[in-house]
Amino acid sequence: MQKTDPIRILVADDHPVVRAGLVALVDRRPDMTVVAEASNGQELLDQFLLHRPDVALVDLRMPEMDGADAIAAIRERAPGARVIVLTTYDDDEDIQRSLRAGAKAYMLKDAARDDLLAAIKAVHEGRTLIPPAIATKLAESIGAPTLTARELEVLALVADGKSNREIATLLFITEGTVKSHLSTMLGKLDASDRTQAVTIALKRGLLRL
Amino acid sequence: MQKTDPIRILVADDHPVVRAGLVALVDRRPDMTVVAEASNGQELLDQFLLHRPDVALVDLRMPEMDGADAIAAIRERAPGARVIVLTTYDDDEDIQRSLRAGAKAYMLKDAARDDLLAAIKAVHEGRTLIPPAIATKLAESIGAPTLTARELEVLALVADGKSNREIATLLFITEGTVKSHLSTMLGKLDASDRTQAVTIALKRGLLRL
DNA sequence: ACGCAAACCCACCCGCCGGCGGATGTGCCA
DNA sequence: TGGCACATCCGCCGGCGGGTGGGTTTGCGT
C-alpha cells in the first residue's frame, strides 16, 4: 500500500494551550489529522460517537466527567475504540484506572514529540504501548494493596484534621472502629503514622486535597 | 504608527507538548513571533541573555533551576525584563514567589487563548496583569502567616511520618522543642492536628510531597 | 453446605501528641 | 540603650492515638 488515508484523531484536554500543542504537533504530519476536539469528559463522549476517530488522545483530569469514566463510557458503546491517555502525573491509581477502563497507551505530558507520534501510530496499528518508566511504576504497584471504600472515607476525614472521636460521630460508628480501620490502613500503606498514611495516599493518587 | 515590529517572545516549559502549543498559538499571530525556546531554568537564563526577547513565557515547575529562581536571576542582569508566569497550579506560595521575583503577569494554563494573547500584549506595553481569580487568591493569602525555615524543616519530617522524638534526634534538639514548633505551626495554619497542618501546607504550596 | 477470606465492627492498655507556661538569644528602631 | 518582636529552645500534664485481640456479616469458590 503506497497511499493510505491519514489517521483521524480526537484531542481531549481542558487546557486550551495543550490542545493547541497537540493539534499543532499532529497536523504537521501528513499522515495524521485532528478531526475533533473536546474540553471535558462529556464533550469527549459526544464528539467520539459523532466522529468515530481512529485514535483519541485524552487527558485524565477534566471537568464535567473524569477522563477514565469517559473512556469507560466510550468503550461500552464502541468496544474497538483506541484511546491514548495523556496526563501530567504518574499516580499509580490513575494509571491503573485508565488501563482498566480500556486505554491502549499511557503517556506523560513531558514525553518527547517523537515518542508521542510513535505512540499514536502504534496504537492505530492495534498495538498497546506503555513506556518503560510507567511500566515499572505499574509493576511496583501490583503488590500494592487496595483500600476499601470505608477506609478511604475515614482517611479523607483524617486528612481534614478530624480526631478519631469526631470521625466516629460523623460516620455513626465507635471510636474503636475508626482506630481499627486506621490500623489496617497503616499496615496496608506501610505507614508509621496517620499523617504518613495521608501523604502516602496522596502520592499514590488514592486521595485528593 | 501603522506598522511595528512583531513582539519577540521566549517560551520556557519542560513539556514539549505545551511548548508546541504556545508556539503554535503565538506564531499564528502576525504581530508576535517566538525567537527562542527553553526546557529548563538554566536554558531559560542562557536563552534570555542571548536573545533579549520582549516578553518571556515561563513555567514555574522546571528541572535544573526553578522557574522563580530563574526569573530572579534574569531580572538581576536585565532589570527591565518582562516575564509572564504560566503555570498549572494556583498555589499561594508559587504566586507570591514569582511576583516577588519580578514577574509581570501570572496566568493559569487553563486560560483561554485570547486571554493569554491579551496578557502578552499588555505586558509588552509595560502593564502588569493578574487575573481576578488569582488576585483574590492573593488577597486571601495576604493575612496568611509565614512559616520559618526551621518550622518547615520540622513539618517536612512530620509529613514523612516521623515521631516528635525521631525529629528531635534528627535535628539535634529536644522533643519538647519539636512540640513547641509544631504548636506554633498549628496556630499559624489554624490546624487542629499535625496531619491537617501537613495537608494545609500542601494546599498552600509550602510543602511538596 | 461448608470453609474461608475480607470488610466492618468493638474494647482495653500504654505511649506519644499537643496545650500551657516559661526561658534564652537576636535584630530592629526609637 | 532600653524596649519590642520573633525565632528557638525547654518541661510538665491530660487526653488522644495506635497496637492487640477478638466478634459479626457478606460473598465467593468447591
Side-chain angles (χ1 to χ4, degrees):
Chain A
M1 49 168 149
Q2 58 253 59
K3 175 71 162 61
T4 69
D5 291 335
I7 304 175
R8 301 172 60 253
I9 298 174
L10 166 60
V11 171
D13 196 303
D14 57 333
H15 300 321
V17 173
V18 176
R19 279 209 309 279
L22 292 171
V23 172
L25 234 57
V26 165
D27 275 345
R28 191 175 311 165
R29 307 270 314 199
D31 55 345
M32 301 180 185
T33 175
V34 173
V35 295
E37 300 183 29
S39 61
N40 63 54
Q42 188 58 52
E43 270 186 40
L44 166 57
L45 181 55
D46 296 342
Q47 292 293 315
F48 191 96
L49 296 178
L50 183 60
H51 292 95
R52 300 282 174 162
D54 297 321
V55 177
L57 292 178
V58 341
D59 183 20
L60 280 188
R61 308 278 172 101
M62 284 191 298
E64 298 305 320
M65 188 192 295
D66 186 58
D69 294 340
I71 293 175
I74 286 176
R75 289 186 54 85
E76 197 171 332
R77 311 191 200 181
R82 287 168 181 162
V83 177
I84 297 177
V85 168
L86 184 70
T87 187
T88 313
Y89 315 94
D90 58 349
D91 295 357
D92 297 356
E93 189 67 8
D94 283 347
I95 300 173
Q96 291 206 331
R97 280 214 319 148
S98 51
L99 291 184
R100 259 198 307 269
K104 295 301 183 190
Y106 193 103
M107 304 279 308
L108 291 180
K109 278 187 184 160
D110 57 5
R113 295 167 164 81
D114 295 338
D115 291 343
L116 189 54
L117 295 171
I120 294 176
K121 291 188 84 157
V123 168
H124 179 243
E125 289 165 4
R127 286 186 285 144
T128 70
L129 189 140
I130 309 290
I134 301 292
T136 58
K137 264 261 175 194
L138 199 58
E140 283 174 9
S141 68
I142 289 298
T146 163
L147 298 186
T148 72
R150 194 61 158 175
E151 287 167 347
L152 277 176
E153 208 170 351
V154 170
L155 194 57
L157 292 171
V158 169
D160 235 45
K162 301 279 187 290
S163 76
N164 286 342
R165 187 180 304 266
E166 288 172 317
I167 296 173
T169 58
L170 285 173
L171 299 182
F172 305 106
I173 53 180
T174 327
E175 187 183 344
T177 305
V178 175
K179 291 183 181 179
S180 171
H181 286 304
L182 218 17
S183 193
T184 63
M185 279 192 277
L186 292 184
K188 285 183 181 178
L189 298 175
D190 193 34
S192 60
D193 194 88
R194 56 169 51 209
T195 305
Q196 195 182 19
V198 168
T199 60
I200 290 177
L202 287 173
K203 274 186 209 161
R204 297 203 186 161
L206 299 170
L207 214 58
R208 303 265 171 92
L209 291 188
Chain B
M1 51 168 150
Q2 56 249 67
K3 177 72 161 60
T4 69
D5 291 337
I7 305 175
R8 300 172 61 254
I9 298 173
L10 165 61
V11 171
D13 195 304
D14 56 332
H15 300 321
V17 173
V18 175
R19 280 209 309 279
L22 292 172
V23 172
L25 232 57
V26 165
D27 275 345
R28 192 173 312 165
R29 307 269 315 198
D31 55 345
M32 302 179 184
T33 177
V34 173
V35 295
E37 299 183 31
S39 61
N40 63 54
Q42 190 57 51
E43 271 187 40
L44 166 56
L45 180 54
D46 297 341
Q47 292 294 315
F48 191 97
L49 297 177
L50 184 61
H51 292 94
R52 299 282 175 164
D54 298 320
V55 177
L57 290 178
V58 343
D59 184 20
L60 281 187
R61 308 278 174 99
M62 284 192 298
E64 298 307 320
M65 188 192 296
D66 187 58
D69 293 340
I71 293 174
I74 287 176
R75 288 186 55 87
E76 196 170 333
R77 310 191 200 180
R82 288 169 181 162
V83 178
I84 298 178
V85 168
L86 184 68
T87 187
T88 313
Y89 314 95
D90 59 349
D91 295 358
D92 298 355
E93 190 67 8
D94 283 347
I95 300 174
Q96 291 206 331
R97 279 213 321 149
S98 52
L99 291 185
R100 259 199 306 269
K104 295 300 184 191
Y106 193 103
M107 303 278 309
L108 290 179
K109 277 186 185 162
D110 58 3
R113 296 167 163 81
D114 295 338
D115 290 344
L116 188 56
L117 295 172
I120 294 176
K121 291 189 83 159
V123 169
H124 178 244
E125 290 164 5
R127 285 186 286 144
T128 71
L129 188 139
I130 308 292
I134 301 294
T136 59
K137 264 263 176 196
L138 198 58
E140 283 173 10
S141 68
I142 289 299
T146 165
L147 298 186
T148 72
R150 194 58 158 174
E151 286 166 347
L152 277 176
E153 208 170 351
V154 171
L155 194 57
L157 293 172
V158 169
D160 234 44
K162 302 279 189 287
S163 76
N164 287 341
R165 187 180 306 261
E166 287 172 317
I167 297 173
T169 57
L170 285 172
L171 299 182
F172 306 105
I173 54 181
T174 326
E175 188 182 343
T177 307
V178 175
K179 292 182 183 179
S180 172
H181 286 303
L182 217 18
S183 193
T184 62
M185 279 193 275
L186 292 184
K188 284 183 180 179
L189 298 175
D190 193 33
S192 59
D193 194 82
R194 56 168 50 208
T195 304
Q196 195 182 18
V198 168
T199 60
I200 290 177
L202 287 173
K203 275 187 211 161
R204 298 205 186 159
L206 299 170
L207 213 60
R208 301 263 172 96
L209 289 187

